[in-house]
């Protein structure tokens, strides 16, 4: 999922919407207009029911935003970097960029969301009760009541100890605090995530087969999404654990062979690719400045007959596209920046001096070496 289009900024936190939030908005509006209003307020004109349904959907999405905002604000207050919030088909996601730092921080950040949902559920319940007591129209009462009920459902769903849902994060935080070992806490908490994910998928399939209810498909999707998220968290944790304290200079290939950008691809292949074991060559301009990076793959893409005419600079990835790092930077900070735009590579500069290249094979090698030793490269704190 990309980050979506920015729609608001609240207390300095950027809130964006992915197009798929329209899907959940439409389903909610439809559910209220067709399923909730007619039985409670018979005779409501369809147009009014749909308008009220849309308003209720908007209020619910606002509730989800408040939930995420609580996570994000608490994270920021505890010194964890927050990129923003994205609203999408499964509700909201807070993009937490920084590391949790401590079990306590993870617990309080995880608790903040469900606590907000709890308050909202109580608030909507009180509004419904007051509206009912003063004899307000059934239409208003049922909408407030529906908002309270959906928030209660979300609350229950959120506090199931299924990592990485909020309840699972609270569980991991507690295990982490008790054992003093974040990696083992993650592995344990992830079991809850996978069990709940398979339960949701199985319930969804049974529901679909027995009742042929669309809601069943929805459960399967949520289960599948949870299972994927849980697995990704465990993988991320393994990488973090194994690479803890490893710096860019620990893994980089030093003293890369820098090539003049104006030589032909043919010369590049004969004089450099054949002679050195590198798969990547930085190129420099006439003034000696690094201007990009050529890869063996890029050379292969130039058809044989054209290699004597095309200059190396023409097949290079421009510098702006390539992530850079300093030798003392942590590898775990660089990893998220490596992507297909640079073929998974980064250039390492000490000041303005190019001192190395990091490639996917360098990282993979380091991971394997770390796994060979039974303990992480530098003991986890
Ligand atoms: Zn949450």
């Amino acid at each position: 999922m990309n980050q979506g289009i920015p729609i608001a900024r609240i207390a300095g936190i950027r809130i964006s919407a992915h197009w798929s939030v329209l899907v959940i908005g439409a389903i909610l509006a439809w559910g209220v207009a067709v399923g909730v209003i007619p039985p409670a307020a018979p005779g409501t004109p369809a147009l009014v029911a749909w308008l009220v349904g849309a308003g209720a959907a908007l209020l619910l999405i606002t509730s989800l935003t408040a939930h995420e905002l609580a996570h994000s604000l608490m994270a920021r207050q505890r010194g964890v970097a927050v990129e923003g919030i994205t609203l999408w088909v499964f509700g909201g996601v807070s993009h937490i960029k920084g590391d949790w730092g401590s079990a306590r921080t993870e617990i309080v950040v995880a608790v903040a969301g469900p606590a907000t949902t709890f308050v909202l559920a109580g608030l909507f319940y009180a509004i419904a009760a007051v509206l009912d007591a003063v004899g307000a129209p059934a239409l208003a009462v049922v909408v407030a009541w529906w908002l309270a009920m959906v928030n209660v459902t979300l609350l229950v769903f959120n506090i199931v100890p299924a990592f990485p849902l909020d309840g699972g994060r609270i569980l991991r935080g507690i295990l982490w605090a008790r054992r003093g070992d974040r990696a083992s806490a993650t592995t344990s908490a992830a079991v809850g995530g996978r069990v709940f994910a398979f339960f949701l998928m199985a319930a969804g399939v049974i529901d679909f087969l027995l009742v042929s209810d669309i809601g069943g498909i929805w459960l399967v999707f949520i289960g599948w999404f949870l299972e994927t998220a849980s697995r990704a968290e465990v993988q991320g944790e393994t990488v973090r654990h194994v690479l803890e304290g490893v710096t860019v200079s620990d893994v980089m290939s030093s003293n890369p062979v820098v090539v003049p950008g104006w030589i032909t691809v043919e010369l590049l292949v004969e004089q450099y690719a054949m002679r050195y074991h590198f798969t990547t060559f930085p190129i420099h301009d006439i003034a000696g400045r690094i201007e990009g990076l050529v890869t063996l793959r890029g050379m292969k893409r130039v058809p044989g007959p054209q290699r004597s005419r095309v200059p190396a600079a023409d097949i290079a990835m421009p510098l702006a596209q390539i992530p850079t790092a300093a030798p003392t930077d942590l590898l775990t900070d660089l990893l998220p920046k490596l992507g297909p735009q640079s073929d998974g590579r980064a250039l390492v500069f000490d000041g303005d001096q190019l001192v190395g290249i990091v490639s996917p094979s360098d990282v993979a090698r380091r991971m394997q070496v770390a796994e060979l030793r039974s303990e992480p490269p530098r003991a986890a704190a």
Side-chain angles (χ1 to χ4, degrees):
M1 178 188 51
N2 61 36
Q3 309 257 307
I5 22 170
I7 49 168
R9 183 174 277 275
I10 300 174
I13 308 271
R14 181 180 47 80
I15 298 168
S16 315
H18 184 251
W19 65 265
S20 61
V21 74
L22 294 173
V23 175
I24 190 65
I27 291 174
L28 290 168
W30 169 75
V32 172
V34 175
V36 176
I37 292 175
T44 306
L47 180 66
V48 174
W50 274 96
L51 286 175
V52 173
L58 202 63
L59 279 171
L60 189 72
I61 290 170
T62 308
S63 305
L64 291 170
T65 310
H67 173 113
E68 292 307 323
L69 205 56
H71 284 309
S72 290
L73 290 174
M74 184 58 89
R76 200 177 59 182
Q77 205 211 329
R78 301 278 305 185
V80 181
V82 177
E83 256 191 345
I85 294 168
T86 305
L87 301 171
W88 70 310
V89 70
F90 290 137
V93 192
S94 297
H95 302 285
I96 308 286
K97 213 175 144 204
D99 197 60
W100 295 115
S102 76
R104 197 184 155 74
T105 296
E106 176 159 43
I107 294 171
V108 295
V109 172
V111 166
T116 304
T117 300
F118 177 76
V119 170
L120 286 169
L123 187 70
F124 286 123
Y125 177 78
I127 292 173
V130 168
L131 287 176
D132 195 31
V134 300
L139 190 61
V141 178
V142 77
V143 166
W145 179 248
W146 177 81
L147 284 164
M149 285 304 104
V150 179
N151 271 299
V152 167
T153 310
L154 287 172
L155 177 64
V156 171
F157 188 76
N158 266 301
I159 58 178
V160 173
F163 187 74
L165 298 182
D166 294 336
R169 289 209 175 277
I170 296 168
L171 174 66
R172 176 173 83 162
I174 293 169
L175 294 176
W176 175 9
R178 271 206 191 158
R179 299 180 189 166
D181 181 351
R182 174 167 150 170
S184 105
T186 306
T187 314
S188 304
V191 174
R194 302 193 70 183
V195 168
F196 188 55
F198 285 118
F199 167 76
L200 288 177
M201 288 191 269
V205 169
I206 293 168
D207 184 57
F208 182 71
L209 291 179
L210 294 184
V211 201
S212 44
D213 182 3
I214 296 293
I217 299 178
W218 194 248
L219 281 182
V220 172
F221 268 119
I222 294 180
W224 169 78
F225 171 68
L226 178 60
E227 210 273 329
T228 312
S230 167
R231 211 150 16 130
E233 287 272 354
V234 173
Q235 274 167 6
E237 185 59 34
T238 308
V239 171
R240 198 197 66 86
H241 186 61
V242 168
L243 297 181
E244 183 147 40
V246 174
T247 60
V248 169
S249 68
D250 290 338
V251 300
M252 70 183 189
S253 300
S254 308
N255 307 316
V257 175
V258 185
V259 173
W262 58 89
I263 66 167
T264 63
V265 174
E266 186 177 47
L267 214 58
L268 179 67
V269 172
E270 282 168 12
Q271 301 283 312
Y272 295 91
M274 305 278 220
R275 215 193 282 175
Y276 300 96
H277 76 277
F278 294 108
T279 56
T280 317
F281 297 90
I283 56 165
H284 65 83
D285 63 12
I286 294 189
R289 283 183 303 251
I290 302 296
E291 54 174 359
L293 200 60
V294 288
T295 59
L296 288 184
R297 205 191 301 201
M299 296 176 211
K300 267 195 271 176
R301 274 201 290 262
V302 183
Q306 287 179 28
R307 288 184 189 158
S308 58
R309 274 172 280 137
V310 177
D314 278 19
I315 62 163
M317 295 177 242
L319 197 56
Q321 225 175 302
I322 307 162
T324 57
T328 49
D329 286 353
L330 285 175
L331 184 60
T332 43
D333 290 338
L334 175 63
L335 283 182
K337 296 182 202 157
L338 301 178
Q341 85 285 353
S342 68
D343 223 2
R345 280 147 171 98
L347 292 173
V348 186
F349 287 94
D350 191 359
D352 44 5
Q353 188 74 30
L354 178 72
V355 292
I357 299 180
V358 174
S359 72
S361 55
D362 295 325
V363 179
R365 190 174 174 283
R366 178 69 199 204
M367 295 280 298
Q368 282 170 352
V369 169
E371 280 164 17
L372 276 178
R373 303 154 141 210
S374 53
E375 48 183 26
R378 284 176 197 177

